[in-house]
Structures are given as C-alpha cells and as structure tokens.
Amino acid sequence: MNCRLIRPSMAMLVGAAVLMLSGAYADAAHAANANAGLLPSVTCTLGWDTTEFSPPLGLANEDAKVTAQGSVNGCLPNTYGISRATYTVQAAGNINCLEGGQAGGSFAFTWFDAQNNVIGVSTASYGPGSGSFQLRLDGASIVVVKGTVQSGLFAGGNMTFQTDVVNLDVTACLRDTGVGSLAGPVTEVTFSSPL
C-alpha cells in the first residue's frame, strides 16, 4: 500500500484561515443582531414622582410651569444593564386644577445599573398634544405623556410615562392658594428603540 504525504501549500493554509475567520465573524454578527433584536425597549414599573406647578393651579386655565423629579426601579428587560433611573421634567401648559389640561416639555433620564453606576442618559420631548393630566374627584391625577427620545440611549425611539399623583389637600383647588404640588407612584415608564 502506497501512501503519499501531501504537504499543504501556504495558499491553502491562508485560504483555510480566511474561511474560518469569515465564518466566526458571520456567527458573531448574527449573534449581535439577534441580541439587538431582543433588547428594543425597557419598562420600569416601580417609582415615585413629585410634581410642582408655578404659579399654583387654580380653577381657571392659566399658563403655568411644571417641574417634576422622581425615580423608577424594576426595569425589564435589563437592556444595557439598566436597573433603575432618576429623572427631571421641565414643562409648561395652559392648565387648571379642576380639569387638568395639555402641557409640553422635556424629560431628562439618568440610567443606572444594579451597582449604581451610571450607564447613560436619555432626553425625551413631548408636545402639548401628547402630554396631559386628568384630575379625579378624590384629588388624584393621572398623568400620561408620550414623547420622542431625542438623544442618548434609545435615541430616535419613543417614550411613554404614566404616574398617578395625589393632591393630599383636596380643597386646595377651591381656595386662592391653589394646587402647588402633587406626588405619587410612577406606574409605567417605557423607552423603545427605533425599529
């Protein structure tokens, strides 16, 4: 039985290496795309919000500045390693304390991981037609805002924010002092990436 030993040429070795590397690169790119597809959004459902109005809201519609700050936890899926966030809001609108009304403004979110390291920031804006609050007879308000993420994480995507804030002084709306602040739980914050 004759056996011939074939010595691979340098061209064969280089060709095999290129094929292996291109296959590994394709697998890595496929995995990255799959992961990106699994992480299009984050929703946080536990939090607290404090909102202030200047001047305090009365029975008649009035141009008012709205500022708010708060924090949210329980963020899933754990996109970018996000565990929680803090935020501030600057807004304005022609609103009253009896029916609420429309407002427009911007949010600034700072995202943290489970070790309290800052992961990144996001800014989102919303127009007067996409931010509103409605007062209920028990002194609570449902604030719902839908906006567009302008910069940072999830840039180009959408934001939904909802909080149920409570006015502990339910007669303040009827008095000259008006409603200067509300506070309550944040029930949903969702950021979604552009498709």
Side-chain angles (χ1 to χ4, degrees), residues 37-179:
L38 293 174
L39 302 174
S41 66
V42 64
T43 297
C44 309
T45 56
L46 303 170
W48 190 260
D49 177 89
T50 301
T51 301
E52 296 182 348
F53 304 100
S54 178
L57 302 183
L59 289 172
N61 270 32
E62 186 173 4
D63 290 333
K65 291 182 179 178
V66 183
T67 57
Q69 60 183 4
S71 62
V72 290
N73 298 285
C75 302
L76 294 172
N78 200 347
T79 307
Y80 305 119
I82 291 171
S83 174
R84 67 180 190 88
T86 59
Y87 66 87
T88 59
V89 182
Q90 299 290 328
N94 189 258
I95 51 183
N96 66 65
C97 65
L98 189 61
E99 298 172 335
Q102 300 289 325
S106 63
F107 281 76
F109 273 79
T110 302
W111 303 101
F112 298 88
D113 65 14
Q115 289 74 42
N116 288 325
N117 299 308
V118 175
I119 295 172
V121 296
S122 298
T123 60
S125 64
Y126 62 99
S130 58
S132 65
F133 73 94
Q134 300 172 339
L135 273 69
R136 300 195 297 254
L137 295 178
D138 60 2
S141 301
I142 301 174
V143 179
V144 179
V145 175
K146 294 183 182 293
T148 302
V149 183
Q150 301 295 322
S151 64
L153 299 182
F154 309 103
N158 298 310
M159 177 201 73
T160 300
F161 176 92
Q162 181 171 327
T163 181
D164 296 340
V165 289
V166 178
N167 174 20
L168 297 178
D169 184 357
V170 294
T171 63
C173 185
L174 304 175
R175 298 195 310 266
D176 291 339
T177 53
V179 177

